[in-house]
Amino acid sequence: MMLFDDPVFASRFLTLLTLSFHIIYATIGVGVPLFIMIAQWIGIKKNDDHYILMARRWARGFVVTVAVGVVTGTIIGLQLSLLWPRFMELAGQIIALPLFMEVFAFFFEAIFLGIYLYTWDRFEDQRKHLLLLIPVAIGALMSAFFITIVNSFMNAPQGFDLINGELVNANPIMAMFNAAMPTKVAHVAVTAYMTVAFLLAAIAAFQLIRGSNHAYHKKALNLTMKVGLIFAIAAAVIGDFSGKYLAEYQPEKLAAAEWHFETEEGAPLVLYGYLDDDNEIKAAIRIPFALSVLAFGDPFAEVIGLEEFLPEESPPLIIHYYFDTMITIGMFMIFLSLLYWIGKTRNWAFIQSTWYRWLIVLGAPLSFLAIQAGWWMAEVGRQPWILRGIMTVEEAATTSDYVGLMSIFFLLLYIILGVGTVVVLRKIFKNNPVENELASTQGGDSK
Amino acid sequence: MTLEIVGMTVLWTFLFGYIIVGAIDFGAGFFNAFSIITKKQHILSNVIQRYLSPVWEVTNVFFVFFFVGIVGFFPQTAYYFGTIFLIPGSIALILLAIRGSYYAFETYGNRGHKGYAFMYGLSGLLIPASLSIVLTIAQGGFVSMENGNPTLDYYALFTSPLSWSIVVLSIIAVLYISAVFLTWYANKTGDEKATGLMRKYALIWALPLIIAASGIIYELRFHNPAFYNQILDLWWMFGLSFLLWIATVLLIWKRKKYGLAVWLLIIQFALAFYGYGISHFPYLLYPELTVYEGFTNQAMAISLIVTFVLGFALLIPSLYLLFRLFLFDKRYVQGKKPKEGDN
Ligand code: HDD
Ligand code: HEM
Ligand code: HEM
């Protein structure tokens, strides 16, 4: 099996595995603090216990996911050196700075999260407690910011010269502010917020389907769907900018994602479909001029096709499906949340219906799938390069023979952690339903 | 001071920080599990949980800081150590992952779950053991270059008395450091039973500690004479460390000034740890890689140091706040509710 014979393949496999697993928790880690903050803020402002409880319950679930996020992040951080030693040796000289800054962001986040969680009742003024969340949310966002900078550097390396394989004239700041950075960072942040909004919405919708008719869940659903709509639109807008970035700086990735083989003006956008044995596109939907619009904002612009690149330097064509998945889900979620918003203002009955709520529940796994699809498209679409144009994945990988074996261990670990998260989260919330908790706070003291 | 030395000092200091806070954390997890098995849970769990809960994530960042920092300052270490460290590194990572998450699962979700407590207690002892292997490897003799790629001789590593002594020392050190710290902490909470039990553990592990440490210096004499001689040149650091060890044990024995004992213990370990580091200088990996060959470029080094200073300016006040709220706050430490009437 390739996994055991080929360290390069095994390293790719293990990286794929670890990152795909980490990104689930990382997304939650970036997004949830913002929503806790919003809920707690509304709660204080409106003097509404429901929102305060919302913040508390989200925070209680959050600590469990943070724990797994932290350990999987630690894994990927060390694995970068274990699996891609040649890459880290080179890249360490030029892109270590944001990685290093990221650690400070974690530190900052970890400290204030610890304080926040254990001080719910220590402040007379709830607003002071809310203040503690700001560093948590900023810390999480900064982590995403810095790590995404590293990733954008891999797509658009700059800030140094290579002379005879030696890296000279290093300028770490220039390396950080590379061409891929603005769109990538923005898209990652916005999609994390969007995904978490729909995750929390799904939980609320699920409780409503199960028959709880408590105002708490309705408020939660209302809040998260509306915020989710804003971020979903933002994700699409910034996704469009990402397409323009690709057209200019990584045209081969865009061409592969779009099965755009020949350079042409007024290029159509190819959605879905499959390739037959002669690489002919079958059963696809073509939207005239749309690719030119995505790439340059001009229906007649010329879009470079794959024919202009060496076959061995062209990304795998499979990324087309990843791209389609991401865009379809993005559009679907905009549609779904827009419907909610309109339905809510016009009092349409169907947004209270079970089938519609099931769609909202479905939105959570779909949004996570979109995140995964987006990363697979971005990373696989960079192939064969690890540092675009400079170092290939093959050159970067470890020569150790045991990566395959380790991959099995890590796979088992992720299964255990994934199952553990679900079991523990269920237990926390099942034993402690909202109704009970509200009754006990309202009965007990006068907060 | 050259930039190389600044970089190395920063990293070594963070590693030291990780060893101390990590040891307290790992040891506490172990004592917690041990007390559950021996049914002494009622004595210890409260003290341990109250200390651990807010800080475990912070402990982890020390570790991340170290390995991210070393790749930043010394990118070549990624190549040398990255290639050979795959197996021990992966094992350590898996253990860390189990420990961190099961700790959280137990604390936040399923309090008192024996299986979870046992898992994170045991993994906490094995983590230092697997990580300490990197120190053994760095002393050289286990790595050869094959086709230009570093390869680790696992057989030599696993049959070497030196590597096993280092493993043993790391485990004992965890138990000892943690016991001394928790004696002080339990005493602060006013919990006499817990203090007594932790004090007993501290005394039990004191002697094995010094035997294991001396054993390593003795083994080094055969394994790496050059390194051994450099250690002898710094005899005063190790001697002072030994004296502080005696002082710590005496204080604990006489049930006096537990707070001072913790400080003496930290200084004791610092002296030994920096003594070890200085003797190792300038080698990162004997004899392949030195601090000078492996160093990054000037621009990166300076930006890292600037970031470090700025980052630290941000962290110190935050850490201060954390400690003030949890470690030194009388009411919290003693487990009292902050004010009446709250839930
Ligand atoms: C909820 C998740 C989600 C949703 C709904 C979308 N995206 Fe996305 N997309 C991501 C999640 C994501 C991501 C996971 O965050 C990626 C992976 C790498 C990156 O920078 O962001 C990404 C990458 C990514 C890239 C590649 C960037 C690169 O390789 O450098 C493009 C061109 C787009 N997106 C475009 C879009 C468009 C036009 C969308 C229209 C709706 C869209 N995305 C929705
Ligand atoms: C910032 C978050 C990142 C995410 C979520 C991410 C995600 C992914 C995913 C899903 C893959 C699998 C693609 C495949 O199978 O080909 C992958 C591959 C890879 N990533 Fe990234 N990546 C990120 C950043 C980085 C960074 C910072 C590095 C290195 C420092 C890196 C290095 C790699 C490498 C070497 C591969 C293997 C390429 C291959 O699969 O052949 N990634 N990444
Ligand atoms: C190659 C890619 C990545 C690496 C090397 C990496 C590294 C790490 C490390 C070392 C940690 C643990 C820090 C600690 O000890 O507290 C961590 C956690 C975290 N990472 Fe990642 N990370 C990567 C990708 C990402 C991405 C793409 C995001 C955001 C979109 C992200 C966001 C986070 C967040 C928010 C945490 C804190 C834990 C949590 O809240 O769940 N990371 N990461």
Side-chain angles (χ1 to χ4, degrees):
Chain A
M1 239 176 91
M2 259 170 105
L3 189 58
F4 298 106
D5 304 334
D6 179 1
V8 179
F9 178 81
S11 300
R12 290 182 59 181
F13 175 77
L14 185 48
T15 305
L16 168 75
L17 196 64
T18 307
L19 276 164
S20 300
F21 192 66
H22 177 62
I23 193 69
I24 299 173
Y25 292 91
T27 304
I28 297 176
V30 173
V32 172
L34 180 74
F35 287 88
I36 303 178
M37 234 160 87
I38 296 176
Q40 201 175 350
W41 187 66
I42 298 180
I44 294 172
K45 247 188 82 170
K46 293 194 177 167
N47 202 7
D48 184 338
D49 271 350
H50 288 173
Y51 286 98
I52 301 276
L53 184 64
M54 223 178 273
R56 272 188 182 234
R57 287 174 69 91
W58 288 343
R60 212 176 298 147
F62 182 57
V63 281
V64 174
T65 59
V66 167
V68 183
V70 167
V71 297
T72 51
T74 309
I75 291 175
I76 180 65
L78 195 58
Q79 263 180 6
L80 288 179
S81 295
L82 297 178
L83 301 179
W84 312 102
R86 280 289 182 202
F87 168 70
M88 289 305 273
E89 184 187 15
L90 181 75
Q93 301 171 50
I94 175 76
I95 201 66
L97 188 60
L99 274 176
F100 197 63
M101 291 175 169
E102 193 198 7
V103 184
F104 283 102
F106 288 140
F107 225 136
F108 197 57
E109 182 196 353
I111 292 172
F112 281 93
L113 186 62
I115 299 178
Y116 176 79
L117 290 175
Y118 289 88
T119 52
W120 273 101
D121 301 316
R122 274 216 203 175
F123 297 98
E124 293 208 20
D125 185 352
Q126 275 284 319
R127 274 173 300 183
K128 277 197 196 149
H129 188 227
L130 177 60
L131 278 185
L132 288 171
L133 255 188
I134 296 175
V136 178
I138 293 180
L141 185 61
M142 284 326 238
S143 313
F145 176 70
F146 290 126
I147 193 65
T148 311
I149 286 184
V150 178
N151 184 268
S152 43
F153 173 81
M154 295 163 65
N155 284 289
Q158 68 173 44
F160 62 95
D161 296 312
L162 266 190
I163 295 176
N164 300 330
E166 293 280 314
L167 191 149
V168 293
N169 300 331
N171 182 342
I173 304 289
M174 232 172 100
M176 283 176 68
F177 291 90
N178 55 65
M181 191 275 262
T183 46
K184 195 151 234 171
V185 167
H187 198 53
V188 167
V190 165
T191 53
Y193 291 137
M194 161 190 163
T195 304
V196 168
F198 292 131
L199 171 70
L200 298 173
I203 297 172
F206 188 66
Q207 294 300 336
L208 291 171
I209 293 173
R210 290 213 350 216
S212 164
N213 222 354
H214 206 288
Y216 171 93
H217 299 302
K218 292 188 180 154
K219 286 179 187 169
L221 186 66
N222 200 13
L223 170 68
T224 48
M225 286 302 277
K226 283 182 179 164
V227 179
L229 172 63
I230 299 171
F231 283 117
I233 294 175
V237 172
I238 299 171
D240 181 60
F241 286 125
S242 305
K244 298 191 168 35
Y245 152 78
L246 285 186
E248 187 159 352
Y249 295 94
Q250 289 181 280
E252 75 283 8
K253 194 193 273 183
L254 188 65
E258 272 306 313
W259 289 347
H260 182 61
F261 299 114
E262 282 143 36
T263 303
E264 66 181 308
E265 291 174 11
L269 188 77
V270 178
L271 279 177
Y272 316 114
Y274 65 94
L275 289 176
D276 69 8
D277 297 338
D278 309 318
N279 259 4
E280 290 289 331
I281 304 169
K282 288 279 155 71
I285 303 171
R286 284 165 204 265
I287 307 174
F289 304 110
L291 181 57
S292 290
V293 175
L294 174 68
F296 297 102
D298 164 4
F300 302 105
E302 183 185 86
V303 182
I304 297 177
L306 263 188
E307 60 183 358
E308 304 197 13
F309 300 95
L310 298 171
E312 63 271 22
E313 290 187 1
S314 303
L317 292 175
I318 189 170
I319 63 174
H320 177 70
Y321 298 114
Y322 305 151
F323 195 45
D324 282 353
T325 306
M326 175 175 68
I327 292 183
T328 310
I329 295 173
M331 291 306 166
F332 175 73
M333 291 315 294
I334 293 179
F335 175 70
L336 195 70
S337 48
L338 195 62
L339 216 56
Y340 180 88
W341 186 67
I342 298 174
K344 191 85 192 164
T345 39
R346 310 230 160 154
N347 266 328
W348 287 347
F350 78 89
I351 58 164
Q352 312 259 9
S353 66
T354 307
W355 66 265
Y356 179 74
R357 284 176 178 159
W358 273 118
L359 285 182
I360 298 181
V361 173
L362 189 67
L366 282 181
S367 302
F368 278 100
L369 180 65
I371 296 256
Q372 301 288 2
W375 278 113
W376 295 337
M377 127 125 198
E379 298 292 287
V380 179
R382 196 183 57 230
Q383 299 304 313
W385 304 108
I386 190 164
L387 253 189
R388 183 178 179 269
I390 293 173
M391 180 185 267
T392 63
V393 167
E394 200 131 336
E395 292 162 343
T398 180
T399 46
S400 172
D401 289 328
Y402 303 103
V403 185
L405 184 65
M406 294 299 131
S407 303
I408 306 288
F409 292 152
F410 280 105
L411 181 62
L412 289 176
L413 174 72
Y414 299 146
I415 293 174
I416 293 174
L417 294 187
V419 172
T421 318
V422 176
V423 169
V424 170
L425 283 178
R426 269 183 61 113
K427 200 172 158 92
I428 294 180
F429 292 109
K430 234 191 158 142
N431 294 347
N432 205 358
V434 173
E435 287 80 1
N436 293 3
E437 240 183 313
L438 276 172
S440 74
T441 47
Q442 280 160 354
D445 62 334
S446 52
K447 205 172 19 182
Chain B
M1 261 218 248
T2 61
L3 287 176
E4 286 90 340
I5 298 182
V6 175
M8 204 59 240
T9 312
V10 166
L11 292 175
W12 202 241
T13 304
F14 261 79
L15 192 56
F16 179 68
Y18 181 61
I19 286 180
I20 297 294
V21 291
I24 295 174
D25 187 6
F26 297 145
F30 177 78
F31 289 128
N32 185 42
F34 188 68
S35 70
I36 291 178
I37 294 168
T38 54
K39 307 241 161 25
K40 286 187 185 142
Q41 183 181 7
H42 51 284
I43 308 184
L44 285 187
S45 280
N46 254 336
V47 170
I48 290 176
Q49 296 275 355
R50 210 168 307 132
Y51 161 73
L52 275 186
S53 305
V55 298
W56 77 270
E57 212 193 326
V58 175
T59 310
N60 193 60
V61 188
F62 272 92
F63 177 54
V64 176
F65 189 102
F66 177 75
F67 71 67
V68 169
I70 197 160
V71 172
F73 280 107
F74 304 98
Q76 285 201 7
T77 53
Y79 174 59
Y80 283 95
F81 284 100
T83 309
I84 54 191
F85 201 50
L86 180 73
I87 292 183
S90 297
I91 293 173
L93 282 176
I94 290 174
L95 292 169
L96 268 173
I98 291 185
R99 200 195 118 78
S101 39
Y102 276 78
Y103 172 70
F105 291 168
E106 202 242 10
T107 314
Y108 305 124
N110 223 343
R111 236 179 226 240
H113 189 294
K114 286 202 178 111
Y116 291 1
F118 185 70
M119 289 253 252
Y120 81 77
L122 187 68
S123 48
L125 280 196
L126 299 175
I127 293 165
S130 54
L131 287 178
S132 67
I133 291 182
V134 82
L135 288 182
T136 320
I137 296 175
Q139 281 159 10
F142 302 109
V143 176
S144 53
M145 299 299 282
E146 271 172 33
N147 309 326
N149 286 318
T151 344
L152 184 60
D153 183 347
Y154 285 100
Y155 180 76
L157 186 68
F158 285 114
T159 50
S160 148
L162 178 68
S163 47
W164 288 108
S165 337
I166 292 185
V167 166
V168 170
L169 175 69
S170 70
I171 294 178
I172 296 176
V174 162
L175 294 172
Y176 176 68
I177 295 174
S178 174
V180 172
F181 176 86
L182 288 171
T183 308
W184 166 74
Y185 194 77
N187 188 48
K188 252 184 100 96
T189 65
D191 185 338
E192 280 171 31
K193 270 194 173 156
T195 315
L197 192 59
M198 289 322 300
R199 171 180 168 272
K200 201 176 92 196
Y201 291 146
L203 292 176
I204 288 178
W205 292 109
L207 194 64
L209 177 84
I210 225 67
I211 296 175
S214 328
I216 288 172
I217 298 186
Y218 176 77
E219 312 258 346
L220 272 180
R221 188 169 161 183
F222 307 104
H223 188 79
N224 186 339
F227 184 27
Y228 175 74
N229 285 331
Q230 293 211 46
I231 287 188
L232 285 196
D233 290 343
L234 282 174
W235 62 269
W236 59 272
M237 284 182 91
F238 294 93
L240 209 56
S241 173
F242 180 69
L243 293 180
L244 288 173
W245 171 77
I246 296 181
T248 314
V249 176
L250 277 180
L251 284 177
I252 303 259
W253 181 267
K254 301 213 150 143
R255 300 172 201 269
K256 270 193 202 144
K257 300 206 166 118
Y258 292 135
L260 180 64
V262 172
W263 282 114
L264 293 184
L265 166 114
I266 292 175
I267 303 171
Q268 173 212 326
F269 272 86
L271 280 167
F273 192 71
Y274 284 91
Y276 185 94
I278 298 169
S279 319
H280 213 281
F281 198 80
Y283 289 98
L284 290 165
L285 173 63
Y286 262 101
E288 314 286 351
L289 185 65
T290 69
V291 166
Y292 299 104
E293 294 158 358
F295 201 59
T296 190
N297 53 69
Q298 191 92 4
M300 179 56 83
I302 291 173
S303 4
L304 288 177
I305 291 171
V306 171
T307 306
F308 177 77
V309 173
L310 293 180
F312 232 71
L314 190 72
L315 286 185
I316 294 279
S318 329
L319 275 174
Y320 172 75
L321 189 65
L322 181 73
F323 286 142
R324 221 196 55 181
L325 283 172
F326 294 110
L327 220 44
F328 305 120
D329 183 293
K330 268 246 160 62
R331 303 186 71 92
Y332 176 81
V333 167
Q334 295 177 350
K336 290 198 187 125
K337 285 275 146 71
K339 50 183 174 42
E340 300 303 328
D342 258 305
N343 45 358

